[in-house]
Short mmCIF file of all heavy atoms in Angstrom, two decimals:
data_model
loop_
_atom_site.label_atom_id
_atom_site.label_comp_id
_atom_site.label_asym_id
_atom_site.label_seq_id
_atom_site.Cartn_x
_atom_site.Cartn_y
_atom_site.Cartn_z
N LEU A 109 125.74 106.37 93.62
CA LEU A 109 124.73 105.32 93.34
C LEU A 109 123.50 105.81 92.59
O LEU A 109 122.62 105.02 92.23
CB LEU A 109 124.29 104.65 94.63
CG LEU A 109 125.40 103.87 95.37
CD1 LEU A 109 124.84 103.30 96.66
CD2 LEU A 109 126.01 102.80 94.52
N SER A 110 123.38 107.15 92.35
CA SER A 110 122.24 107.67 91.64
C SER A 110 122.53 107.74 90.14
O SER A 110 123.64 107.71 89.67
CB SER A 110 121.88 109.06 92.17
OG SER A 110 121.42 109.00 93.47
N PHE A 111 121.41 107.82 89.37
CA PHE A 111 121.45 108.05 87.94
C PHE A 111 121.06 109.47 87.62
O PHE A 111 120.29 110.07 88.39
CB PHE A 111 120.50 107.09 87.20
CG PHE A 111 120.91 105.62 87.21
CD1 PHE A 111 120.77 104.84 88.31
CD2 PHE A 111 121.43 105.08 86.00
CE1 PHE A 111 121.16 103.50 88.27
CE2 PHE A 111 121.79 103.74 85.95
CZ PHE A 111 121.67 102.97 87.11
N ALA A 112 121.51 109.98 86.50
CA ALA A 112 121.03 111.27 86.03
C ALA A 112 120.22 111.04 84.76
O ALA A 112 120.62 110.25 83.89
CB ALA A 112 122.22 112.18 85.72
N TRP A 113 119.07 111.69 84.69
CA TRP A 113 118.23 111.65 83.46
C TRP A 113 118.30 113.02 82.79
O TRP A 113 118.31 114.04 83.45
CB TRP A 113 116.77 111.32 83.83
CG TRP A 113 115.83 111.55 82.71
CD1 TRP A 113 115.79 110.91 81.47
CD2 TRP A 113 114.76 112.49 82.67
NE1 TRP A 113 114.79 111.42 80.72
CE2 TRP A 113 114.12 112.38 81.44
CE3 TRP A 113 114.29 113.44 83.60
CZ2 TRP A 113 113.04 113.21 81.06
CZ3 TRP A 113 113.21 114.26 83.26
CH2 TRP A 113 112.60 114.12 82.01
N ASP A 114 118.39 113.00 81.50
CA ASP A 114 118.50 114.22 80.66
C ASP A 114 117.16 114.97 80.71
O ASP A 114 116.30 114.76 79.84
CB ASP A 114 118.86 113.81 79.25
CG ASP A 114 119.04 115.01 78.33
OD1 ASP A 114 119.42 116.09 78.82
OD2 ASP A 114 118.80 114.87 77.09
N ARG A 115 117.06 115.86 81.71
CA ARG A 115 115.81 116.63 81.84
C ARG A 115 115.56 117.52 80.61
O ARG A 115 116.46 118.24 80.16
CB ARG A 115 115.88 117.51 83.11
CG ARG A 115 114.53 118.19 83.42
CD ARG A 115 114.67 118.99 84.71
NE ARG A 115 115.42 120.21 84.50
CZ ARG A 115 115.87 121.02 85.47
NH1 ARG A 115 115.73 120.60 86.75
NH2 ARG A 115 116.52 122.12 85.22
N GLY A 116 114.38 117.45 80.12
CA GLY A 116 114.03 118.19 78.90
C GLY A 116 114.22 117.38 77.62
O GLY A 116 113.80 117.75 76.57
N GLY A 117 114.83 116.20 77.80
CA GLY A 117 114.99 115.29 76.66
C GLY A 117 113.85 114.31 76.59
O GLY A 117 112.76 114.53 77.14
N VAL A 118 114.10 113.19 75.92
CA VAL A 118 113.07 112.14 75.74
C VAL A 118 112.72 111.54 77.10
O VAL A 118 113.61 111.22 77.89
CB VAL A 118 113.53 111.08 74.75
CG1 VAL A 118 112.50 110.00 74.59
CG2 VAL A 118 113.85 111.71 73.37
N GLU A 119 111.42 111.36 77.33
CA GLU A 119 110.97 110.82 78.62
C GLU A 119 110.70 109.31 78.49
O GLU A 119 110.31 108.81 77.40
CB GLU A 119 109.67 111.49 79.06
CG GLU A 119 109.80 112.96 79.33
CD GLU A 119 108.49 113.63 79.74
OE1 GLU A 119 107.42 113.07 79.40
OE2 GLU A 119 108.54 114.68 80.39
N PRO A 120 110.86 108.56 79.58
CA PRO A 120 110.50 107.15 79.55
C PRO A 120 109.01 107.04 79.25
O PRO A 120 108.19 107.86 79.70
CB PRO A 120 110.76 106.69 81.01
CG PRO A 120 111.66 107.71 81.57
CD PRO A 120 111.45 108.96 80.87
N GLY A 121 108.63 106.03 78.49
CA GLY A 121 107.23 105.87 78.08
C GLY A 121 106.90 106.56 76.79
O GLY A 121 105.82 106.34 76.23
N SER A 122 107.83 107.38 76.25
CA SER A 122 107.58 108.04 74.97
C SER A 122 107.56 107.00 73.85
O SER A 122 108.16 105.91 73.97
CB SER A 122 108.68 109.07 74.70
OG SER A 122 108.63 110.09 75.68
N THR A 123 106.94 107.35 72.76
CA THR A 123 106.79 106.40 71.67
C THR A 123 107.97 106.41 70.71
O THR A 123 108.06 105.56 69.81
CB THR A 123 105.52 106.71 70.88
OG1 THR A 123 105.53 108.06 70.39
CG2 THR A 123 104.26 106.53 71.76
N GLN A 124 108.91 107.36 70.85
CA GLN A 124 110.10 107.38 70.01
C GLN A 124 111.23 108.13 70.71
O GLN A 124 111.01 108.87 71.64
CB GLN A 124 109.76 108.05 68.66
CG GLN A 124 109.36 109.52 68.77
CD GLN A 124 109.09 110.11 67.38
OE1 GLN A 124 109.04 109.40 66.37
NE2 GLN A 124 108.91 111.41 67.34
#
Side-chain angles (χ1 to χ4, degrees):
L109 297 178
S110 292
F111 288 76
W113 167 64
D114 181 29
R115 188 178 75 192
V118 178
E119 298 179 337
S122 297
T123 57
Q124 62 179 10

